[in-house]
Amino acid sequence: MRRKPTKAEQAMDDPSTRGKTVKRVAVVATGVIGASWAAHFLAHGLNVVATDPAPDAEERLHADVDAIWPTLERLGLAGFASRGRGRLRFERDLETAVEGADFVQENGPEREDFKIDLFKRLDAALPPEVILSSSSSGLSTTRIQSECVHPERVVVAHPFNPPHLIPLVEVVGGRHTSEDTVLAAIAFYAGIGKHPIRVRHEIKGHIANRLQAALWREAFHLVELGVASVEDVDTAIAEGPGLRWSVMGPFLNLHL
């Protein structure tokens, strides 16, 4: 008997909800993750307005997108090249950059105090229907949204680096995030070629990093016991179960 799809899966499969209202994305902070996100959004036909307070941020962003773009073209994503750079704009002022945005992807420093203040500013600058999403790899959504007037529209959407190549995005709602926001975020990311998963309870490290950490602990243990060298542990995964895990994951592999 076929399993009934979850609400998240239904949102991903429903073309009527798949990011249809998102035409302009504001990318806040344009370091390694932010620039990669910007290139990915552009490659999928979205308008991008980026902002970053660093003095050389605009030049770095354009250089990073230039470096990323040939790879995306080889993957068959040529929308940006055909429509020109008019869809990428840089604004140094945060409030100016996010004005008119349909979705915000924040990629600032992993400091709780910084993100709380930043999301307070973003919340004040944008209408309540605009989703505010953080790329945080470990901070709590509940804490990030704690000083927002509209905390229901805040999520963490943690990408694996680099976002323009690795499909996974971990979507995490906070204590005050609405169900509609979580499902809309999942639908948006699915609609631009990502593979979003839902982290149903906030936990440090989300899902994928915790799974990596569990394997690392055993790898260190085996080397410490003298069972294997560092090189042999790496070979054991890269030339063994890692080949299956890359296409099936641990549960399907175990089931088979």
Side-chain angles (χ1 to χ4, degrees):
M1 183 175 179
R2 188 176 180 183
R3 177 177 63 84
K4 183 179 179 181
T6 66
K7 287 183 178 180
E9 290 168 336
Q10 290 171 356
M12 290 166 62
D13 291 336
D14 182 358
S16 69
T17 63
R18 196 173 294 167
K20 72 173 185 179
T21 61
V22 177
K23 295 180 179 178
R24 178 186 297 178
V25 178
V27 173
V28 177
T30 56
V32 173
I33 301 297
S36 181
W37 267 128
H40 185 81
F41 294 142
L42 289 164
H44 285 82
L46 297 172
N47 297 306
V48 174
V49 182
T51 185
D52 191 302
D56 63 341
E58 184 173 4
E59 292 75 15
R60 270 193 302 107
L61 173 62
H62 285 287
D64 288 342
V65 170
D66 284 344
I68 290 168
W69 203 255
T71 300
L72 295 178
E73 286 187 310
R74 286 195 295 272
L75 294 173
L77 299 171
F80 176 67
S82 65
R83 291 182 59 185
R85 288 191 175 275
R87 290 196 285 105
L88 175 60
R89 183 162 58 89
F90 186 91
E91 293 284 352
R92 192 161 301 280
D93 178 70
L94 176 70
E95 282 75 15
T96 302
V98 301
E99 185 178 357
D102 304 311
F103 195 96
V104 175
Q105 189 75 45
E106 176 272 333
N107 318 279
E110 282 286 279
R111 289 199 345 252
E112 186 179 274
D113 59 338
F114 175 87
K115 288 194 188 288
I116 289 173
D117 181 67
L118 178 57
F119 272 74
K120 182 180 179 180
R121 288 178 64 189
L122 291 170
D123 184 59
L126 286 159
E129 67 272 13
V130 177
I131 292 176
L132 308 180
S133 179
S134 175
S135 296
S136 174
S137 60
L139 296 179
S140 161
T141 311
T142 297
R143 292 295 300 147
I144 290 172
Q145 69 189 179
S146 61
E147 292 192 17
C148 293
V149 175
H150 296 286
E152 71 280 354
R153 44 89 163 265
V154 176
V155 293
V156 161
H158 171 234
F160 256 53
N161 191 28
H164 67 278
L165 291 180
I166 308 298
L168 179 66
V169 178
E170 299 175 304
V171 179
V172 194
R175 187 175 303 152
H176 305 293
T177 306
S178 72
E179 179 75 358
D180 286 347
T181 294
V182 173
L183 296 180
I186 287 172
F188 168 69
Y189 290 115
I192 56 168
K194 308 302 284 183
H195 287 255
I197 61 173
R198 181 172 186 175
V199 182
R200 296 182 178 276
H201 300 285
E202 290 181 282
I203 187 168
K204 190 172 181 61
H206 309 320
I207 296 171
N209 276 332
R210 293 180 68 88
L211 292 171
Q212 287 190 129
L215 182 58
W216 286 331
R217 284 195 298 271
E218 183 60 22
F220 293 143
H221 184 54
L222 289 171
V223 172
E224 185 179 36
L225 290 177
V227 172
S229 67
V230 169
E231 294 78 11
D232 284 345
V233 169
D234 280 349
T235 299
I237 296 300
E239 303 298 333
L243 297 171
R244 295 193 185 103
W245 289 344
S246 67
V247 293
M248 290 189 287
F251 278 121
L252 182 55
N253 184 52
L254 178 65
H255 173 71
L256 292 175

